[in-house]
Amino acid sequence: MAKYLVIVESPAKVKTIKKFLGANYEVAASNGHVRDFPKSQFGIDVEHDYEPKYITIRGKGDILANLRKEVKKAEKIYLATDPDREGEAISWHLMEALKLSGKKVYRITFNEITKTAVKESLKHAREIDMNLVDAQQARRMLDRMVGYRISPLLWAKVKRGLSAGRVQSVALRIICDREEEINAFIPEEYWTLDAAFQIPGERKPLIAKYYGEQDTKRILKTEAEVEAVKKDCEKAEFQVSDVKKGERIKKAPLPFTTSTLQQEASKVLNFSTQKTMRLAQQLYEGVDIKGNGTVGIITYLRTDSTRVSEEAENMARSYITEKYGEQYAGEGTVKKGGQKIQDAHEAIRPTDVARTPLEIKESLSRDQFRLYQLIWKHFMASRMTPAKYETTSVKIDGNGHRFTVAASKVIFDGFMSVYTMDDEDKAENRTLAKSIDKDTKLSLKEFDGEQHFTQPPAHYTEASLVRTLEELGIGRPSTYAPTITTILARHYVIKENKNLYVTELGEVVNKMMKEAFPTIVDVNFTANMEALLDGVSEGTVDWKTIVSNFYPDLEEAVQNAEKELEEVKVGDEESDEVCELCGRRMVIKYGPHGRFLACPGFPECRNTKPYYEKIGVACPKCGKDIVLKKTQKGRKYYGCIGNPECDFMVWQRPSNEKCPVCGSILLEKGNKLVCSKEGCGFVKEKEKEENGQG
């Protein structure tokens, strides 16, 4: 009979860990959390020091009953839930649910599911860290307060099924703020001017970029300015005024954290954050490797630390020295300053660097292999020496104007022998003719001037949103993917070609949150709350103090919003359309994809049709009304009501005015009107509306 019981979170770990520990150990799984707040009640006793009320999660009764049987047989119980705050809280809930007080109970953690790590954890068994538990309890209670008190308000004012969240509402605001920036952006014209110079004795011309007037950098804003420079340079004598050679290094990347893994997997593999975390969980919990059985092949996947253990450091150094040579083995890049990190465990890395991706490819699914290969290559690169470039910069002067050329070539590839971080690494390898030196005379062959327009800020992608949340100190490694999944599931945001776009529903919810709960959606407030939770985990802040300070203000804001936001509800606005089935005037309803027309006679009459908001502008192609429409995923655009016969559509709101330069329709951007024709660049101020004062 087994003397010791080890309780883990995931059933996927049970068989692997049992194999590592042998016959004296029984291993069982809790299947995640076993207790939580009741769904039908608030679950927090505000009158009695904010005491939480936990109940057994539905469906977990049988699991707890089986665990109680195993507990009775065991001499010692080891709680081996995940090595983070959430895992610590699950261990504490198991203590309470299984009534383990007075028994020999120990908390163990391991950062990787390997025989060495699991056995070593038993030597460092400890008590449950109540500071970590309280930090998680405080986070859960704050989230409960926001969700339980504000979500019903959204149901009442907008529609059922919506939700608010302490982190998700801030994430939505960040996306909405970016959308407003993009819509208000006014493009500005600028030009680039390249010159082709003939070098004596060389067949290939040298292409140089216009810099300015001697040492003064100048941006060419109009075609007239470009033509003036060309005219100045037509008969000028050009010569090389300076040639500088140098050397620069490109540092190896830092090892992956949860955030950087999600960003890189999105960029390189086109994985969503949710998919990345699901696959990483599988690689961490263990895969069946031929000849080795089931084994975890990466370390714990929820971390904001770039630290690497001494053992892993030595393992990587040995491998790199043997496979690539001693000159490739580096010290690793160190992260300096910046956001405070929990540093509870290591960066994400392979558990054994000798287990190369190709070696185990047949044991992995295609996506598992791609993610493991990314992690393996990235970690190996992080332990290697920097890449070295030889740089050359050339200044070419003529008649007071200066053109410049910069080139670089790799002289030592270092970490790039394993991993290139972006296309720049691959393209950055250009050399100049050896015959160029100071005072070399050059002859001008031709100019190439090109018109450009400044671009608005980019729409957020899942990767860039995760990066922003991390930089602002909002959320933690375990919250990034669930936050994005939630705002997508609620149809506040839609995803098209990686980009995140706010839907009309998202705009309505964000506007309401900003008006009624400005503190909840304030970036600085949310980041400060994360810092306070860190203080709880370190034992310097009392968790009940955070909760008791937060709730009264929230409750007051909810009560005010219930009174003041009565007219916010979207839907049931009467339209001019008449139901062709029963003759009633149809009303505007609000669904997951925005507004639609429905018969108020429901359920007797179930007629519905699309709702189109007319904007008072005629279609330039056919003369019919232009209306506000949405794509299937909910992104707004303006199109002809005569579609599909007429295919006119634009993303910005059109104006009745035509461009005086090319005759195209003008689009509204902030307080400007911008020509819709690409490359025209016409911009004018919008005329102010009459105020009736004459």
Side-chain angles (χ1 to χ4, degrees), residues 159-409:
K159 69 184 286 287
R160 290 195 66 82
L162 304 182
S163 70
R166 198 175 54 83
V167 176
Q168 81 175 52
S169 297
V170 181
L172 175 61
R173 179 182 179 166
I174 289 170
I175 298 169
C176 287
D177 287 351
R178 175 61 61 84
E179 199 81 24
E180 287 176 12
E181 274 186 77
I182 293 168
N183 290 335
F185 180 82
I186 307 298
E188 291 184 7
E189 180 184 8
Y190 71 97
W191 287 71
T192 55
L193 181 61
D194 290 350
F197 293 101
Q198 191 62 54
I199 307 167
E202 298 285 341
R203 291 177 60 189
K204 193 175 178 183
L206 178 68
I207 308 299
K209 295 185 179 298
Y210 182 70
Y211 176 82
E213 294 157 3
Q214 299 295 4
D215 292 320
T216 305
K217 187 170 179 63
R218 180 184 171 195
I219 296 172
L220 302 173
K221 294 186 175 180
T222 65
E223 187 174 10
E225 291 181 13
V226 172
E227 291 303 321
V229 172
K230 285 184 181 179
K231 191 172 182 181
D232 274 359
C233 295
E234 273 177 3
K235 297 178 181 178
E237 292 183 0
F238 286 92
Q239 71 175 39
V240 176
S241 61
D242 190 29
V243 177
K244 274 190 181 174
K245 289 191 179 290
E247 189 175 289
R248 70 176 179 86
I249 64 168
K250 187 161 193 166
K251 290 182 178 179
L254 288 162
F256 277 141
T257 61
T258 304
S259 165
T260 53
L261 173 62
Q262 290 173 350
Q263 292 171 49
E264 196 73 355
S266 172
K267 185 172 74 172
V268 177
L269 307 177
N270 203 22
F271 287 176
S272 67
T273 53
Q274 188 180 27
K275 181 175 183 177
T276 299
M277 295 305 282
R278 185 179 70 249
L279 291 168
Q281 185 76 31
Q282 294 165 5
L283 300 179
Y284 164 69
E285 290 182 346
V287 291
D288 190 12
I289 305 296
K290 291 176 182 177
N292 293 305
T294 304
V295 62
I297 59 175
I298 66 166
T299 54
Y300 192 55
L301 61 149
R302 295 178 184 89
T303 176
D304 52 11
S305 172
T306 56
R307 177 175 58 82
V308 172
S309 70
E310 190 177 342
E311 181 188 2
E313 194 82 66
N314 294 335
M315 181 168 58
R317 177 175 282 278
S318 297
Y319 184 91
I320 293 165
T321 302
E322 182 184 338
K323 297 290 182 182
Y324 298 93
E326 196 167 335
Q327 71 273 30
Y328 282 89
E331 296 299 323
T333 305
V334 178
K335 187 174 186 178
K336 295 180 181 178
Q339 182 71 31
K340 182 177 179 182
I341 57 175
Q342 294 176 31
D343 206 36
H345 25 75
E346 291 183 68
I348 301 169
R349 61 170 177 81
T351 54
D352 182 358
V353 297
R355 193 180 288 120
T356 64
L358 285 175
E359 187 181 299
I360 62 171
K361 185 175 183 179
E362 290 183 10
S363 302
L364 305 176
S365 69
R366 180 176 180 270
D367 285 340
Q368 284 177 339
F369 168 74
R370 293 172 74 205
L371 187 64
Y372 179 67
Q373 180 172 250
L374 182 70
I375 293 168
W376 187 92
K377 285 186 172 184
H378 193 94
F379 175 69
M380 295 308 295
S382 78
R383 307 342 283 163
M384 296 175 81
T385 46
K388 288 184 183 176
Y389 289 85
E390 181 189 85
T391 61
T392 308
S393 63
V394 178
K395 293 175 183 174
I396 303 166
D397 291 344
N399 200 21
H401 293 282
R402 173 165 290 171
F403 291 80
T404 59
V405 186
S408 61
K409 67 172 182 177

Side-chain angles (χ1 to χ4, degrees), residues 33 48 87 101 179 356 402 424 472 474 491 500 513 575 681:
H33 276 281
H48 296 89
S101 183
E179 199 81 24
T356 64
R402 173 165 290 171
E424 187 185 327
L472 294 172
I474 295 170
H491 302 291
L500 299 176
M513 292 295 294
S575 74

